[in-house]
Amino acid sequence: MAAQIWYENDGDLSVFNGKKVAIIGYGSQGHAHALNLRDSGVDVVVGLRPTSKSVEFAKEQGLDVKSVADAAAEADVIMILTPDQAQRKVWANEIEPNLKPGAAIAFAHGFNIHYGYIKPTEDHPVFMVAPKGPGHIVRREYAAGRGVPVVVAVQQDPRGDAWDLTLAYAKALGALRAGAIRTTFKEETETDLFGEQNVLLGGVNKLVEMGFEVLTDAGYQPEIAYFEVCHELKMIVDLMNEGGLNKDRWSCSDTAQYGDYVNTCIDEHVRERMEYHLKRIQDGSFAKEFIEDQDAGAPKFKQLQEEYSHVRIEEVGPKLRAMFSWNNDGVKDADEANSFTGKIARAQVQ
């Protein structure tokens, strides 16, 4: 069955007339949502801890900033954009006790709703607008008159207006310029976690790291190995983005294509591992492991961060990346993200 996709004419910003939207958090997604909605004419308040470093950043952008409790108390729609592991505590301690009757609760990822860490009562509409890109790109594309696609879902619709709110929010974000694809909280959560763990991060990162180590262990120069397993990856991904796997393959040499077909190291054993990880996502085992570690102070997470920040490929990577002058725009984007949103992205209530 074909996916249902909504575009610019499907959203009505007048839905927000007389309503206030609270953005809880001002990290990567929070700053983009708050600024885009504000620039679309929506009445926005940002909810933060008074001691958060994000307060000064939000105020510099001309936004109204209040405590999480005060922002929640006056809002008709509350978009929760703090980290997954922090959301249930912010909800229980600062949002839920201060909610207006019937206020809508929104998310950009389904984790806490799907796994039951947050359970709004049935009188509250619950919806999701999840951009398919990082916050600084969501903001950049909006400012350029374009948009980043989103996936959207409704979990609770007690009044029958939850989809109107969802599409109005997506339009104010600039997302309907690109398109909004209908999904469910279950589908978005499970596919998002699966993609991150098995392909986008847990797959690609490991392939690059292992490929580099196999080549350098065999005696090849680290610089040459870096070019072959890491640098050229961007070209391949760009080709996929433009025209799918076929354009990726057709744009490369016959030698590369033939090797792709007959020598791939991704075999049925990898499929079995993927299926195993998908089951752990579906049954909540991964979420439970992650939340329990976070509640204990994230000892395993911190240990893994430290371990993987010193992989061998990064001994040569910075030097080689500095050679590519055409990457300057990307470096500028990263610097801007780090100096603005990056400084505050780890705050428990951003």
Side-chain angles (χ1 to χ4, degrees), residues 2 18 39 42-43 88 98 179-180 205 219 229 241-242 269 281 337:
D39 291 350
V42 178
D43 186 8
R88 74 196 193 284
N98 297 290
N205 285 354
V229 303
N241 189 52
E242 293 169 8
H269 293 93
I281 290 167

Side-chain angles (χ1 to χ4, degrees), residues 178-194:
I181 301 174
R182 182 171 183 164
T183 185
T184 64
F185 274 70
K186 178 182 190 303
E187 182 177 59
E188 186 277 337
T189 302
E190 293 177 358
T191 58
D192 185 75
L193 293 177
F194 176 84

Side-chain angles (χ1 to χ4, degrees), residues 84-86 88 111-112 117 285-297:
D84 289 334
Q85 66 270 28
R88 74 196 193 284
F111 186 96
N112 279 279
Y117 292 110
S285 300
F286 169 79
K288 182 174 184 291
E289 177 185 325
F290 173 69
I291 291 297
E292 287 180 351
D293 182 63
Q294 291 289 318
D295 285 350

